[in-house]
Amino acid sequence: MKECERIIQSIEHFYWHLEIACCGSLGLCSVEYKEDVAPRKDDIIMLCENM
C-alpha cells in the first residue's frame, strides 16, 4: 500500500499544478486481473458515490 500512496501523492501533486481538486482516491494494490477487482467492488462503488 505504501507504493500506492506514493503514486497517489504524485498524482495529487500534479493536480495541484493544474488547479484540479482531488475528490478522492483508492489504492488497488495486487490487482493484476479483472477477477481481482471483484473483492474491492464495494470500495469502488463507495468512492464513486462520494464524488
Side-chain angles (χ1 to χ4, degrees):
M1 191 60 190
K2 188 173 184 172
E3 181 179 342
C4 291
E5 289 173 6
R6 180 69 183 128
I7 293 168
I8 291 169
Q9 289 173 350
S10 295
I11 293 169
E12 289 176 346
H13 174 80
F14 285 105
Y15 278 3
W16 180 81
H17 285 288
L18 298 170
E19 299 180 7
I20 298 171
C22 184
C23 60
S25 63
L26 176 65
L28 295 174
C29 296
S30 301
V31 173
E32 296 183 34
Y33 305 100
K34 64 181 179 180
E35 294 82 14
D36 298 331
V37 177
R40 300 296 306 271
K41 182 179 176 180
D42 291 338
D43 295 329
I44 295 166
I45 291 171
M46 186 177 355
L47 175 71
C48 293
E49 288 175 345
N50 292 323
M51 290 184 158

